[in-house]
Amino acid sequence: MNFQNKITILLPVLVLLSGCYDRTDQTLSPPENARRVTVAVKVPDGITLLPMQMLYRSERCKTKSYNSSNEAYEIRGYNGFKQAFSSEGSNGIRQQRIAIDGGGPCQWQLNSLRVSFTLPPSSLLVKGKNVIETNYIFDFDDYGLSDGYGTGRAKEINGNINLNTIFFPMLINHLDNDVDLALFGGDTEYEQWRRRFRLKNTQNIYIEPVVHFNKVVVLNPPEIRPGNLTATYPDGSREEIPHISPDYEKLLSMK
């Protein structure tokens, strides 16, 4: 998915009136006493940290949309962009300090952040594969970013948050011979492994992913359809799995 300078957002709409959006003043000018949040990521070797995606919303600067009956109605204005993290520090930590109160003529308020990383093209695992980004989403208001990032539903968190997720490379072979490469950190349908959070009173977010590059799990499609996928684990053991998520606890026991 190509985000360029805008973010895919979740809105109860079908069409946005681009003319209204284009006239919206998207200037951010946080006041001196603005609430802020610091996002820090300890980037492991062999991983590329992508620019952080930010979404602000405005009650003051509205825009219009249409529902399925082609009836226009107002929604909060939105302002989405991306921003690179700081240069890597001595401990491999990169960070960014973000204003929750964005200010400006529209009095922008931070709605959501998305932190993403991926395997670089230079990685030996990447050659000939479709690489899927790994994402964390942090909501400071109602849902803004879509659910299509593989993070699961939001968990409620009050206060600062410290995340240490263990990932395993996962190769997903398709019937058309395409191969996807993802970093698997547990089935995010389950609460304990979700990577989306609804935050309250949060000033610091710290993320420290750990990637076991030499522990690869491979998923193969069924030889006879319909059927289950077969997961082959780093120790050579195999099992059928009903969905696209292998046994994370089993992988953790092999780390």
Side-chain angles (χ1 to χ4, degrees):
M1 185 176 294
N2 183 9
F3 292 95
Q4 296 181 355
N5 293 322
K6 299 298 172 189
I7 300 174
T8 300
I9 62 174
L10 181 67
L11 296 171
V13 300
L14 295 180
V15 180
L16 287 173
L17 291 181
S18 59
C20 294
Y21 177 68
D22 291 340
R23 290 195 295 271
T24 301
D25 190 328
Q26 296 177 281
T27 304
L28 296 182
S29 182
E32 290 186 6
N33 62 345
R35 294 173 299 153
R36 296 179 184 270
V37 59
T38 298
V39 183
V41 184
K42 187 168 185 180
V43 185
D45 292 338
I47 289 296
T48 296
L49 182 64
L50 301 174
M52 182 163 50
Q53 302 282 343
M54 290 176 282
L55 174 65
Y56 286 82
R57 302 297 302 272
S58 171
E59 292 284 358
R60 178 174 294 183
C61 298
K62 304 272 188 169
T63 188
K64 290 183 179 180
S65 185
Y66 291 111
N67 61 21
S68 58
S69 300
N70 205 33
E71 297 169 334
Y73 61 96
E74 285 191 331
I75 59 172
R76 288 186 296 165
Y78 62 92
N79 183 1
F81 56 94
K82 61 184 179 180
Q83 186 167 327
F85 283 86
S86 66
S87 299
E88 186 173 308
S90 58
N91 296 321
I93 296 176
R94 301 179 65 184
Q95 66 180 28
Q96 187 61 260
R97 188 159 170 77
I98 305 299
I100 298 174
D101 303 316
C106 288
Q107 292 296 295
W108 295 106
Q109 293 292 308
L110 182 62
N111 191 113
S112 300
L113 299 174
R114 182 170 71 93
V115 176
S116 306
F117 59 86
T118 189
L119 293 169
S122 58
S123 172
L124 294 177
L125 288 170
V126 166
K127 186 176 181 180
K129 315 294 193 309
N130 303 313
V131 182
I132 300 172
E133 296 175 1
T134 302
N135 301 289
Y136 294 84
I137 294 178
F138 305 95
D139 296 312
F140 295 79
D141 198 348
D142 294 335
Y143 267 47
L145 294 170
S146 80
D147 281 325
Y149 296 101
T151 59
R153 293 187 301 163
K155 293 171 61 175
E156 300 280 342
I157 298 290
N158 191 336
N160 295 332
I161 184 169
N162 190 323
L163 300 170
N164 183 292
T165 310
I166 297 173
F167 291 96
F168 300 87
M170 182 170 68
L171 298 178
I172 308 165
N173 293 303
H174 297 278
L175 290 170
D176 60 3
N177 296 321
D178 278 354
V179 182
D180 292 337
L181 171 60
L183 293 176
F184 180 65
D187 186 349
T188 55
E189 292 296 316
Y190 294 96
E191 184 176 2
Q192 65 266 41
W193 297 318
R194 291 177 191 167
R195 296 195 303 275
R196 184 171 195 149
F197 306 90
R198 173 71 182 272
L199 303 182
K200 182 180 179 182
N201 301 319
T202 302
Q203 295 180 322
N204 293 285
I205 298 169
Y206 179 77
I207 306 171
E208 185 174 354
V210 176
V211 183
H212 292 282
F213 291 99
N214 62 337
K215 302 293 184 181
V216 181
V217 59
V218 180
L219 305 187
N220 286 307
E223 294 183 3
I224 301 176
R225 301 178 67 186
N228 293 328
L229 298 172
T230 298
T232 303
Y233 294 92
D235 64 356
S237 61
R238 304 174 69 190
E239 68 175 350
E240 288 191 3
I241 56 175
H243 303 292
I244 202 168
S245 297
D247 188 334
Y248 187 53
E249 297 285 0
K250 185 172 183 177
L251 285 167
L252 290 174
S253 71
M254 300 177 186
K255 67 179 183 179

Short mmCIF file of all heavy atoms in Angstrom, two decimals, residues 178-200:
data_model
loop_
_atom_site.label_atom_id
_atom_site.label_comp_id
_atom_site.label_asym_id
_atom_site.label_seq_id
_atom_site.Cartn_x
_atom_site.Cartn_y
_atom_site.Cartn_z
N ASP A 178 3.73 -16.90 -5.65
CA ASP A 178 4.15 -15.71 -4.92
C ASP A 178 4.49 -16.09 -3.48
O ASP A 178 3.91 -17.03 -2.93
CB ASP A 178 3.05 -14.65 -4.90
CG ASP A 178 3.02 -13.82 -6.18
OD1 ASP A 178 3.93 -14.00 -7.02
OD2 ASP A 178 2.09 -13.01 -6.33
N VAL A 179 5.43 -15.35 -2.91
CA VAL A 179 5.84 -15.60 -1.52
C VAL A 179 5.80 -14.28 -0.75
O VAL A 179 6.44 -13.31 -1.16
CB VAL A 179 7.25 -16.21 -1.45
CG1 VAL A 179 7.61 -16.51 0.02
CG2 VAL A 179 7.35 -17.47 -2.29
N ASP A 180 5.05 -14.25 0.34
CA ASP A 180 5.04 -13.10 1.23
C ASP A 180 6.01 -13.33 2.38
O ASP A 180 6.18 -14.47 2.85
CB ASP A 180 3.64 -12.87 1.80
CG ASP A 180 2.64 -12.42 0.76
OD1 ASP A 180 3.06 -11.88 -0.27
OD2 ASP A 180 1.42 -12.62 0.97
N LEU A 181 6.62 -12.26 2.83
CA LEU A 181 7.51 -12.31 3.98
C LEU A 181 7.01 -11.33 5.03
O LEU A 181 6.90 -10.13 4.77
CB LEU A 181 8.94 -11.96 3.57
CG LEU A 181 9.96 -11.77 4.70
CD1 LEU A 181 10.11 -13.04 5.54
CD2 LEU A 181 11.32 -11.35 4.13
N ALA A 182 6.68 -11.85 6.19
CA ALA A 182 6.20 -11.02 7.29
C ALA A 182 6.98 -11.37 8.54
O ALA A 182 7.64 -12.41 8.62
CB ALA A 182 4.70 -11.25 7.51
N LEU A 183 6.92 -10.48 9.53
CA LEU A 183 7.47 -10.77 10.84
C LEU A 183 6.29 -11.09 11.76
O LEU A 183 5.41 -10.26 11.97
CB LEU A 183 8.26 -9.57 11.37
CG LEU A 183 9.54 -9.25 10.59
CD1 LEU A 183 10.20 -7.99 11.14
CD2 LEU A 183 10.51 -10.43 10.62
N PHE A 184 6.30 -12.31 12.29
CA PHE A 184 5.16 -12.82 13.06
C PHE A 184 5.43 -12.62 14.55
O PHE A 184 6.42 -13.14 15.08
CB PHE A 184 4.93 -14.29 12.75
CG PHE A 184 3.78 -14.90 13.48
CD1 PHE A 184 2.48 -14.47 13.25
CD2 PHE A 184 3.99 -15.90 14.42
CE1 PHE A 184 1.41 -15.04 13.93
CE2 PHE A 184 2.93 -16.48 15.10
CZ PHE A 184 1.64 -16.03 14.86
N GLY A 185 4.55 -11.88 15.22
CA GLY A 185 4.68 -11.63 16.65
C GLY A 185 3.46 -12.06 17.42
O GLY A 185 3.09 -11.41 18.41
N GLY A 186 2.83 -13.14 16.98
CA GLY A 186 1.62 -13.63 17.64
C GLY A 186 0.37 -13.24 16.88
O GLY A 186 0.35 -12.25 16.16
N ASP A 187 -0.67 -14.02 17.04
CA ASP A 187 -1.96 -13.76 16.39
C ASP A 187 -2.62 -12.57 17.07
O ASP A 187 -3.05 -12.65 18.23
CB ASP A 187 -2.85 -14.99 16.49
CG ASP A 187 -4.15 -14.86 15.73
OD1 ASP A 187 -4.47 -13.74 15.27
OD2 ASP A 187 -4.86 -15.87 15.59
N THR A 188 -2.70 -11.44 16.36
CA THR A 188 -3.22 -10.21 16.97
C THR A 188 -4.73 -10.24 17.18
O THR A 188 -5.30 -9.27 17.69
CB THR A 188 -2.83 -8.98 16.12
OG1 THR A 188 -3.28 -9.16 14.77
CG2 THR A 188 -1.32 -8.78 16.14
N GLU A 189 -5.39 -11.32 16.80
CA GLU A 189 -6.79 -11.48 17.17
C GLU A 189 -6.91 -11.71 18.67
O GLU A 189 -7.97 -11.48 19.25
CB GLU A 189 -7.41 -12.66 16.41
CG GLU A 189 -7.57 -12.43 14.91
CD GLU A 189 -8.52 -11.29 14.61
OE1 GLU A 189 -9.60 -11.24 15.24
OE2 GLU A 189 -8.19 -10.46 13.76
N TYR A 190 -5.83 -12.19 19.29
CA TYR A 190 -5.82 -12.42 20.73
C TYR A 190 -5.27 -11.19 21.45
O TYR A 190 -4.28 -10.60 21.03
CB TYR A 190 -4.97 -13.65 21.07
CG TYR A 190 -5.54 -14.94 20.54
CD1 TYR A 190 -5.12 -15.46 19.32
CD2 TYR A 190 -6.52 -15.63 21.25
CE1 TYR A 190 -5.65 -16.64 18.82
CE2 TYR A 190 -7.06 -16.81 20.77
CZ TYR A 190 -6.63 -17.30 19.55
OH TYR A 190 -7.16 -18.46 19.06
N GLU A 191 -5.90 -10.83 22.56
CA GLU A 191 -5.58 -9.57 23.23
C GLU A 191 -4.12 -9.48 23.65
O GLU A 191 -3.50 -8.41 23.53
CB GLU A 191 -6.48 -9.40 24.47
CG GLU A 191 -6.27 -8.07 25.17
CD GLU A 191 -7.22 -7.87 26.33
OE1 GLU A 191 -8.02 -8.78 26.62
OE2 GLU A 191 -7.17 -6.79 26.96
N GLN A 192 -3.51 -10.57 24.11
CA GLN A 192 -2.15 -10.49 24.64
C GLN A 192 -1.12 -10.18 23.57
O GLN A 192 0.00 -9.77 23.89
CB GLN A 192 -1.77 -11.78 25.38
CG GLN A 192 -1.69 -13.05 24.51
CD GLN A 192 -2.98 -13.83 24.51
OE1 GLN A 192 -4.05 -13.23 24.46
NE2 GLN A 192 -2.88 -15.15 24.60
N TRP A 193 -1.48 -10.33 22.30
CA TRP A 193 -0.51 -10.08 21.23
C TRP A 193 -0.94 -8.95 20.29
O TRP A 193 -0.33 -8.75 19.25
CB TRP A 193 -0.27 -11.37 20.44
CG TRP A 193 0.33 -12.45 21.28
CD1 TRP A 193 1.32 -12.31 22.21
CD2 TRP A 193 -0.03 -13.83 21.31
NE1 TRP A 193 1.60 -13.51 22.80
CE2 TRP A 193 0.78 -14.47 22.27
CE3 TRP A 193 -0.97 -14.59 20.60
CZ2 TRP A 193 0.69 -15.84 22.54
CZ3 TRP A 193 -1.06 -15.95 20.87
CH2 TRP A 193 -0.23 -16.55 21.84
N ARG A 194 -1.96 -8.22 20.68
CA ARG A 194 -2.37 -7.09 19.85
C ARG A 194 -1.30 -6.01 19.84
O ARG A 194 -0.55 -5.85 20.79
CB ARG A 194 -3.69 -6.50 20.37
CG ARG A 194 -4.88 -7.42 20.17
CD ARG A 194 -6.13 -6.79 20.77
NE ARG A 194 -7.23 -7.76 20.82
CZ ARG A 194 -8.34 -7.59 21.50
NH1 ARG A 194 -8.51 -6.46 22.21
NH2 ARG A 194 -9.28 -8.50 21.52
N ARG A 195 -1.29 -5.25 18.75
CA ARG A 195 -0.32 -4.17 18.63
C ARG A 195 -1.03 -2.84 18.32
O ARG A 195 -0.47 -1.96 17.68
CB ARG A 195 0.73 -4.50 17.55
CG ARG A 195 1.59 -5.70 17.90
CD ARG A 195 2.83 -5.80 17.04
NE ARG A 195 2.53 -5.84 15.63
CZ ARG A 195 2.23 -6.95 14.95
NH1 ARG A 195 2.18 -8.12 15.56
NH2 ARG A 195 1.97 -6.89 13.65
N ARG A 196 -2.26 -2.73 18.79
CA ARG A 196 -2.98 -1.46 18.71
C ARG A 196 -3.46 -1.09 20.11
O ARG A 196 -3.93 -1.96 20.86
CB ARG A 196 -4.18 -1.56 17.76
CG ARG A 196 -4.91 -0.22 17.59
CD ARG A 196 -5.95 -0.25 16.49
NE ARG A 196 -6.35 1.12 16.15
CZ ARG A 196 -6.74 1.49 14.95
NH1 ARG A 196 -6.80 0.62 13.96
NH2 ARG A 196 -7.08 2.75 14.72
N PHE A 197 -3.34 0.21 20.45
CA PHE A 197 -3.61 0.63 21.81
C PHE A 197 -4.38 1.94 21.82
O PHE A 197 -4.08 2.85 21.04
CB PHE A 197 -2.30 0.80 22.59
CG PHE A 197 -1.43 -0.43 22.55
CD1 PHE A 197 -0.50 -0.60 21.54
CD2 PHE A 197 -1.57 -1.42 23.50
CE1 PHE A 197 0.29 -1.74 21.48
CE2 PHE A 197 -0.80 -2.57 23.44
CZ PHE A 197 0.14 -2.72 22.44
N ARG A 198 -5.38 2.02 22.69
CA ARG A 198 -6.11 3.27 22.93
C ARG A 198 -5.52 3.87 24.20
O ARG A 198 -5.66 3.28 25.29
CB ARG A 198 -7.60 2.99 23.07
CG ARG A 198 -8.42 4.21 23.50
CD ARG A 198 -8.53 5.23 22.38
NE ARG A 198 -9.28 6.41 22.81
CZ ARG A 198 -10.60 6.53 22.73
NH1 ARG A 198 -11.34 5.54 22.24
NH2 ARG A 198 -11.18 7.65 23.12
N LEU A 199 -4.86 5.01 24.08
CA LEU A 199 -4.06 5.56 25.16
C LEU A 199 -4.77 6.67 25.92
O LEU A 199 -5.52 7.45 25.35
CB LEU A 199 -2.74 6.09 24.60
CG LEU A 199 -1.88 5.09 23.81
CD1 LEU A 199 -0.60 5.76 23.36
CD2 LEU A 199 -1.59 3.85 24.65
N LYS A 200 -4.47 6.73 27.20
CA LYS A 200 -4.97 7.79 28.07
C LYS A 200 -3.84 8.17 29.04
O LYS A 200 -3.18 7.29 29.60
CB LYS A 200 -6.20 7.30 28.84
CG LYS A 200 -6.81 8.36 29.75
CD LYS A 200 -8.03 7.79 30.47
CE LYS A 200 -8.65 8.83 31.39
NZ LYS A 200 -9.82 8.26 32.13
#
